[in-house]
Amino acid sequence: MVTLGRIAGVSGIIGTLVTARPRGDSAWRLAFLLGLISGPLLLVLTGGGLGNVADRPGAVIGEPAGGVALMLVAGLLVGLGTGIGSGCTSGHGVCGLARLSPRSLAATLTFLATAILTVLMVRHLLGDGA
């Protein structure tokens, strides 16, 4: 952002690569995406590991709660939501709020309210008090 005035909006970078016709800026978008993927892979290949964030020793990440198919559908819905909302939760919450964007403030408050209501419904109203 400092040198080019651009924010690392991953949703927009990937979305433009997928949906827009190739333009002069496709090369940096592809390089950015490849860097996001190759960085963690290089870390694992050099023995750095990713840390254990799973619920059992030796696992890197846990199994998807609803299965791989549900995870893929959820990912597509998140992608659709970032397109409709002009960004993702971290984009609005970190970059947008830092830039004092009123739209990002409204989006972040909406995300938080939705999360609070979801927890209220699932844990307290539907009886899954986990």
Side-chain angles (χ1 to χ4, degrees), residues 62-78:
E63 297 292 324
V68 174
L70 182 61
M71 184 175 66
L72 290 173
V73 170
L76 290 172
L77 289 174
V78 167

Side-chain angles (χ1 to χ4, degrees), residues 33-81:
L33 178 61
L34 291 174
L36 284 177
I37 296 167
S38 64
L41 289 176
L42 270 168
L43 185 64
V44 169
L45 291 174
T46 58
L50 293 175
N52 188 358
V53 295
D55 58 354
R56 62 186 189 276
V60 176
I61 58 173
E63 297 292 324
V68 174
L70 182 61
M71 184 175 66
L72 290 173
V73 170
L76 290 172
L77 289 174
V78 167
L80 180 64

